[in-house]
Amino acid sequence: MIRFFADIIYLFFFLTLTAPLYPLFDHWNKTGKAHKRSSIAQRMILRSFKICLAMAGTKLIVDGQENIPEDGAVLYVGNHSSYYDILCSYVATERGMGFFAKKEMEKIPCLSHWMRFINCLFLDRKNIKAGLATMNEGTKLLKDGFSIAIFPEGTRSQDEDPHEFKEGSLRPALKAGVPVIPMAISGTADILENNRRFQVKPTTVRITFGQPIYPDQLERAEKKHLGATIREEIIEMRKKHKTS
């Protein structure tokens, strides 16, 4: 329980003490310096997430970083079982990225500001028209060189295998023509969700990045079922986590 509240208290002070930066970051975005804003914000978030994981006692093992292209944006596609998926995957890339997040998070003061600063998008899954508009925003960000991560199950799952991936979630990468990176995550639920309420336990988390998938090299039928293909690849990578 101490580890949980240590993370919460740290994030609270980070969000509130950095509030004076909000006008500056907003100014940079309005004056065509979005990349500068994003770069600085992502470095700050990276450091804060590393501190949170250290306080939680989380050991992170990362494989396949060499599969992430060094130039240009990518769409990371991963399974989702814990709130800590975001912290762990963010630290694993070492480069920063935005996330497709649920619409409700846009209402959280301070946190929503920082989410925008690192190019997160708030997806309303109950409103098809609004959801499509958000996906189009994601396409634009990818074209502009900002990497994004998405969890296509739509919600956190505690099942052995990830739930069905929604094919429409890959639309931004297909339209922007950027590589898709499968991202298999194991162990994050053992940090918090699999424990008693508010109890955070030291845990080893494994993340593997698969080979990049280039949309322009896929046949039409392959694009149509890309979500299912990536889901199967993630299942296989998670099986290897258990045997290594």
Side-chain angles (χ1 to χ4, degrees):
M1 187 173 292
I2 293 176
R3 294 179 183 273
F4 174 80
F5 285 108
D7 273 355
I8 295 298
I9 292 170
Y10 171 77
L11 287 174
F12 172 78
F13 279 106
F14 174 84
L15 294 172
T16 54
L17 293 177
T18 57
L21 292 174
Y22 297 176
L24 177 61
F25 283 168
D26 287 334
H27 174 72
W28 282 344
N29 193 50
K30 293 176 182 177
T31 56
K33 297 179 181 178
H35 279 274
K36 180 178 181 179
R37 180 197 72 171
S38 176
S39 177
I40 293 175
Q42 288 182 340
R43 287 200 298 270
M44 293 178 67
I45 290 295
L46 179 62
R47 285 196 295 268
S48 68
F49 280 1
K50 285 182 176 180
I51 291 172
C52 285
L53 292 180
M55 290 193 299
T58 302
K59 178 183 178 182
L60 188 59
I61 300 175
V62 183
D63 299 306
Q65 282 183 323
E66 69 279 3
N67 292 328
I68 304 174
E70 295 185 359
D71 56 336
V74 303
L75 180 70
Y76 297 97
V77 180
N79 58 290
H80 193 24
S81 60
S82 170
Y83 289 114
Y84 277 87
D85 289 334
I86 293 174
L87 281 74
C88 291
S89 58
Y90 199 96
V91 171
T93 66
E94 286 286 353
R95 303 178 190 180
M97 55 184 168
F99 291 88
F100 281 98
K102 58 184 180 181
K103 183 70 174 177
E104 291 77 6
M105 298 192 73
E106 191 175 19
K107 300 177 182 178
I108 303 176
C110 296
L111 178 61
S112 60
H113 282 80
W114 274 101
M115 292 179 72
R116 290 191 185 92
F117 296 155
I118 63 171
N119 304 308
C120 291
L121 296 170
F122 302 97
L123 186 61
D124 187 347
R125 300 183 186 277
K126 299 178 182 179
N127 187 320
I128 296 177
K129 185 177 180 180
L132 182 58
T134 303
M135 284 293 177
N136 289 336
E137 288 182 53
T139 299
K140 184 179 185 305
L141 283 174
L142 290 169
K143 287 182 177 180
D144 289 341
F146 299 105
S147 293
I148 309 176
I150 192 166
F151 301 113
E153 293 170 86
T155 186
R156 288 175 292 127
S157 165
Q158 302 300 319
D159 294 338
E160 180 69 18
D161 291 332
H163 291 178
E164 180 182 351
F165 282 11
K166 295 175 172 56
E167 296 292 343
S169 63
L170 302 180
R171 182 191 301 269
L174 297 175
K175 293 181 68 175
V178 302
V180 177
I181 305 292
M183 180 173 63
I185 307 171
S186 297
T188 47
D190 291 332
I191 302 175
L192 176 64
E193 281 80 2
N194 290 343
N195 308 321
R196 290 183 299 176
R197 191 177 185 186
F198 301 135
Q199 186 174 34
V200 167
K201 289 186 177 181
T203 304
T204 296
V205 171
R206 298 202 62 149
I207 294 182
T208 299
F209 296 105
Q211 293 284 342
I213 300 170
Y214 294 91
D216 58 355
Q217 298 177 6
L218 299 177
E219 299 292 337
R220 185 172 183 177
E222 292 176 313
K223 292 180 180 179
K224 186 176 181 180
H225 302 289
L226 183 56
T229 301
I230 293 175
R231 176 180 177 273
E232 290 301 319
E233 183 174 348
I234 287 175
I235 289 173
E236 290 302 313
M237 288 192 288
R238 279 166 51 87
K239 287 179 180 178
K240 292 180 181 178
H241 289 173
K242 296 179 180 180
T243 58
S244 58

